[in-house]
Amino acid sequence: MESPALDTENVTPASKTRKLQRKRSGSPEHSCVSMKSDASMDSPGNFKNADYLFVNSVLQKSGDRREKNIITATGHDPEPAAVNEFQKKFKLNLVKKFQCLNGVMINLENRTLLNEIYTELYITEGDSGDVNKEHEVRQIEAASRRTTTEETPIKCNDIFKPLSDQDKPIRTVLTKGVAGIGKTVSVQKFILDWAEGKVNQDVQLIFPLPFRELNLMKDQKLSLMDLLHVCFKETKETEMSSLEKVLFIFDGLDEYRFPLDFQNTERVCDVTESASVHLLLINLIKGNLLPSALIWITSRPAAADQIPSECVHRITEVRGFNDPQKEEYFRKRISDQSLANKIITHLKSLRSLYIMCHIPVFCWISATVLERMLDEAESGEMPKTLTQMYTHFLIIQTNIIREKYSKKQESDEEMLLKLGQLAFQQLIKGNLIFYEEDLRECGIDVREAAVYSGVCTQIFREEFGLHQSKVYCFVHLSIQEHLAALYVHLTFMKEKRNVLVQSRVFKTISDVHKSAVDQALESQTGHLDLILRFLLGLSLESNQKLLHALVTHTGSSSQSKEETVQYIKKKISEDLPTEKSINLFHCLNELGDNSLVEQIQRYLKSGKQRNLTSSLWSALVFVLLTSEPELDEFDLSKYANTKKITALALLKVMPVIAASSKAIIQHATLKEKHCEALASVLGSESSRLRELDLSWNKLGHSGVQWLSAGLKDPHCKLEALRLCGFDVSDEGCAALTSALRSNPSHLRELDLSYNKIGDAGVKCLSALLENPHCKLEILWLQYCDLSGEGCAALTSALRSNPSHLRELNLSQNKLGDSGVKSLSAVLENPHCKLEILRLSKCGISVEGCAALRSKLSHLRELDLSGNKMGDSGVKTGLENSHCKLKTMRL
């Protein structure tokens, strides 16, 4: 997000500022830093003829108004003319700064108005919940499969408005989202709409304070008043005493280089009290300072847990563009609708690229490349991989640089090597924003940086931060990763030096590739995953031909490529985490080798089953997770003989189970570790699984214990569970029902048939059924060793909560007439909704059938087969005038 430049008068001398820049904190983890595409923003102009008054009385007054915390779309009471005039000018100034798309979306000669191109982003309340250590590209791929039916979408301008079922005010909002997903643009649009008077007009001032700018004030001690005077000069000279509500926006928590310690922090409550900036931030967020001021924080997911949950009233997640929004973006971005349609069609044909279009910045890169290639009818193959897309983008931007700056002294290769070195070294350190000393380490002086940022605006940016100091960044993380990979490739081709591993000698580019594969597999954060894909893709002959226009040392042999391919296939055959295996398949795709995928696709089309190798199981998982947007059903028996499937293969398919709405794994050799993995799937908030059939797996009590751990997780949304023939005992049934009692509201179907749970197990189950939150509609207890005693306990529970159950199967249990008489008490309850009752082979006589005579008004289907009732018993049941049976089995 753009931020006002700050007034440094009476704050810090220039010499001290330079010292501040050189003092760097320890580099945070790669996954906890971000890069925005924001341009710097000049400070709002000073307003003439304004009366000087202290702003602290204003904000302190705001701090005393805790009850006025809910945003509405209505205006507020008329204010003094001077204040009203000030706000108009303040808003006008913000409009000027935020009306144009900043960062990557603008062309300096032809600025694009935000309101003309802005596409509403898909924002939801809550987040995926899981701690995800994968590369953010993989997170996007996983998120693309997430169901939207149970999510609560929120419009950007409504993030402070409580939902209809929420009555508590929302003070602090934390918005998460991966790099480039649209967090900063959302902030920009929010500010612009407010400044233009469209929404949220009861907020009287908005103070945007990006974390990247606050980095440079680490050693400053100043009050909140002073901070605002420095950041927003006009607040020193304006009447503001009647303002009541303000909003602070802290964009880019992941860019903040200093720890936020909420536990051991000095309390600051006075807006005129001096303290360090991070202390001011903590006390603002905790509500010690200005408790009624609204706070909006944005962050990439890995850094968001720095804010304690008790300080956050709402978490939102920016999910980028959904599929309709992707198309809307391209149609707005490209005026020629025929051309836009061709671009959309091309991207849809390549699922890996179309998934990436969830990220708005990737949409922009794709539009830039494909519009140029299609419009100019350029020869050559259309980009089909990430490496091809980013390499075409780099060539387009480099050509623009050459046209803009014909007097450039250095060659394209020299410029790309320097930028690549900067990209690589800062990625390894975990930095995605950097300063002049970082540039000097790579041989880039300030004058060169000015040239790069002046002519290379779509790749590299120079911004003016606090104290007018310069901050540099690449336009997006993926562009930095592509340049870093190019640097690794070119350095080896020119100098036979592998910058990824300096301690060893590497003879061939294939050795470099193998080493990079190993490093990526060892990484806990996935921070090398995309660099690896780019690095391998750059060695492809087609990409080398593209690069030849820019650099001289590009080539590698086909033999080297084949060595790399075989090495990756060997790794795929090993016991790898699924996310690592999937990235290796993407790597093979970058290398143009799809043999494993094609082999599994031929196998699926054949309809014949055979024992699959570990590599082919990995290929199957990759195909199932990347070929279709949603998996409705995963039936393991369709892909292999479940009785012969290996334990490793069962673990490999767990991500497929999590991505499916229904999973059937019958007659498999499940072990405890598989149930443990299934429990993890059940407890994952990102899981789509709603129906699970594990019938005829003899796992018994230990397996049920593991499953119960997942079922009781509040994130579990399972609606149907079938454990027929699972070897569940009464003890296992007790564990199962205990878990379901703690999370009873989702399950609609339960099948425990062919388990010896006995009367003791059914009594435990009855405690679940009588829970008013239990919504069970189908219950199968066939052949469960029940007697009339167990049936009595069951029916007692159903009498207390009779309104949900629609189908009950008690066949092949020794219920006898006493059991049926108990059931008849349930059936006569006017709230009973039972429609299907199965009592086959239950030892029922004429007497028992007579007990059902007047209780059949709800039933549509009744199974009494295998009971010795005779014709008179049947006749007795059918004589009931209210009987509505459509099906009766005898």
Side-chain angles (χ1 to χ4, degrees), residues 71-86:
I71 286 190
T72 67
T74 61
H76 42 71
D77 294 335
E79 300 167 2
V83 176
N84 204 23
E85 185 63 23
F86 156 71

Side-chain angles (χ1 to χ4, degrees), residues 107-338:
N107 181 312
L108 295 181
E109 284 76 30
N110 184 21
R111 289 180 176 247
T112 303
L113 292 178
L114 176 62
N115 285 332
E116 289 180 357
I117 198 172
Y118 178 77
T119 302
E120 189 74 37
L121 291 161
Y122 186 54
I123 304 174
T124 62
E125 183 172 46
D127 65 312
S128 58
D130 306 317
V131 177
N132 198 330
K133 293 185 177 180
E134 299 173 331
H135 190 284
E136 288 182 348
V137 168
R138 279 286 302 125
Q139 294 183 42
I140 283 293
E141 291 170 354
S144 71
R145 311 189 62 83
R146 208 180 302 164
T147 181
T148 61
T149 54
E150 296 177 359
E151 295 174 329
T152 305
I154 295 178
K155 289 188 178 295
C156 177
N157 285 323
D158 295 339
I159 62 167
F160 283 96
K161 295 180 183 177
L163 300 175
S164 57
D165 59 345
Q166 298 173 336
D167 55 0
K168 292 184 178 179
I170 295 171
R171 176 183 185 262
T172 303
V173 174
L174 174 60
T175 296
K176 301 181 183 182
V178 302
I181 202 70
K183 301 182 297 296
T184 295
V185 173
S186 295
V187 166
Q188 183 182 352
K189 178 64 172 171
F190 185 98
I191 295 171
L192 182 62
D193 285 351
W194 171 80
E196 290 180 339
K198 296 177 180 177
V199 292
N200 298 324
Q201 293 306 288
D202 57 347
V203 175
Q204 293 161 297
L205 277 184
I206 293 180
F207 297 120
L209 295 166
F211 279 103
R212 68 162 56 177
E213 307 294 341
L214 299 175
N215 276 334
L216 296 173
M217 299 187 75
K218 178 189 176 184
D219 296 329
Q220 293 296 316
K221 276 207 165 186
L222 64 171
S223 69
L224 180 60
M225 295 294 88
D226 295 332
L227 178 64
L228 293 179
H229 292 340
V230 169
C231 296
F232 306 93
K233 297 177 183 178
E234 68 274 27
T235 60
K236 292 196 290 187
E237 305 175 8
T238 307
E239 165 63 75
M240 299 172 63
S241 60
S242 59
L243 296 179
E244 297 176 352
K245 185 180 290 183
V246 294
L247 166 62
F248 291 88
I249 300 180
F250 299 107
D251 188 30
L253 171 62
D254 44 281
E255 294 179 338
Y256 198 50
R257 294 196 174 187
F258 312 110
L260 293 174
D261 186 355
F262 281 79
Q263 299 301 319
N264 306 299
T265 300
E266 178 185 345
R267 185 180 177 89
V268 178
C269 301
D270 188 343
V271 293
T272 63
E273 181 181 347
S274 293
S276 62
V277 170
H278 75 276
L279 272 180
L280 296 178
L281 288 175
I282 291 171
N283 280 280
L284 259 175
I285 294 168
K286 291 179 77 170
N288 296 333
L289 270 174
L290 304 180
S292 77
L294 302 171
I295 308 290
W296 186 8
I297 303 166
T298 72
S299 176
R300 282 169 64 188
D305 60 0
Q306 293 183 66
I307 309 298
S309 58
E310 61 269 20
C311 295
V312 178
H313 302 101
R314 168 177 280 170
I315 296 177
T316 62
E317 182 178 10
V318 180
R319 299 271 289 277
F321 292 153
N322 58 26
D323 285 353
Q325 289 166 340
K326 294 175 190 177
E327 295 193 27
E328 181 186 349
Y329 171 84
F330 286 112
R331 297 191 195 286
K332 285 184 176 180
R333 168 73 170 72
I334 300 165
S335 57
D336 184 340
Q337 292 304 292
S338 174

